[in-house]
Amino acid sequence: MNAEECIRGRRSIRKFKEQSIDHALLEKVVENASYAPSWKHTQTVRYIAVEGELKDRIGNECTDTYPNNGLIIQNAPMVIAVTVIKGRCGYERDGSFTTHRGDTWQMFDAGAASEAFCLAAYEAGLGTVIMGIFDEEKIVGLLDIPDDRELIALIPVGYSDEEPAAPRRKPVSDLLSYK
């Protein structure tokens, strides 16, 4: 699979087979995702793989705002909590911000790493969907995420039990301008 096939073929998957994910396969996906770019090569993104009862608790207890996310999490064999180490992206060594964007670079890094994770998972035969609607405080408590980290996203992952069509895309003329 080349890059174009991977980018164009990957879809957000919301229905999964019951088949569990081999941990060695997941580790290969994370290894490949670790090549995503990051602010001054800080590599602050960390992944927490959650399975079994704890995963189900997240689906049951932490998705009241958007209950469909809970159903997707419960249906997936695993959910990945994407976190970042706080206070590194966008900073100089003296603690000052490098740009006017302050510490918001960590969201850019987490986004790049999350998409790299999803593309690596797709190439490995796995389906994913990136979620941002959940009860962050509850999940931080359930997963005992340390204070120096921030929970950014959840990514249910597993073997796809659906083949959604690609949604219509805007034409390049709407997306690109020249000056």
Side-chain angles (χ1 to χ4, degrees):
M1 176 179 313
N2 65 36
E4 182 178 351
E5 291 167 337
C6 194
I7 292 166
R8 288 177 177 244
R10 186 221 164 250
R11 302 271 69 81
S12 291
I13 300 300
R14 294 172 177 87
K15 293 179 183 175
F16 302 94
K17 296 177 181 173
E18 291 184 26
Q19 182 179 352
S20 63
I21 299 168
D22 183 89
H23 289 190
L25 179 62
L26 179 65
E27 290 164 14
K28 183 65 175 172
V29 168
V30 171
E31 179 183 1
N32 287 337
S34 75
Y35 282 82
S38 63
W39 175 268
K40 294 187 177 185
H41 198 58
T42 51
Q43 300 180 70
T44 63
V45 173
R46 300 293 184 271
Y47 306 94
I48 303 168
V50 186
E51 302 171 291
E53 184 181 321
L54 187 54
K55 176 197 65 81
D56 292 339
R57 283 190 66 194
I58 290 171
N60 284 325
E61 300 173 20
C62 304
T63 58
D64 291 343
T65 307
Y66 192 67
N68 195 46
N69 280 353
L71 297 173
I72 295 166
I73 291 169
Q74 290 170 20
N75 177 252
M78 181 182 289
V79 67
I80 304 296
V82 180
T83 70
V84 295
I85 299 172
K86 297 179 192 176
R88 293 194 188 164
C89 293
Y91 291 90
E92 292 297 318
R93 291 190 187 272
D94 66 5
S96 65
F97 292 125
T98 305
T99 74
H100 73 283
R101 298 202 186 275
D103 67 353
T104 60
W105 281 103
Q106 71 185 16
M107 292 301 287
F108 179 86
D109 286 2
S114 294
E115 182 61 5
F117 178 93
C118 291
L119 290 171
Y122 176 67
E123 202 259 341
L126 299 170
T128 57
V129 61
I130 300 172
M131 295 181 171
I133 304 172
F134 48 79
D135 187 327
E136 181 179 353
E137 189 175 316
K138 277 187 181 177
I139 295 172
V140 166
L142 283 172
L143 298 181
D144 197 27
I145 296 174
D147 291 339
D148 71 335
R149 288 204 217 166
E150 182 177 349
L151 176 62
I152 302 295
L154 296 176
I155 304 177
V157 60
Y159 293 94
S160 179
D161 199 19
E162 64 177 343
E163 292 184 28
R168 196 170 60 85
R169 297 296 196 247
K170 294 181 180 184
V172 172
S173 60
D174 287 356
L175 304 173
L176 175 65
S177 62
Y178 292 93
K179 301 285 181 181

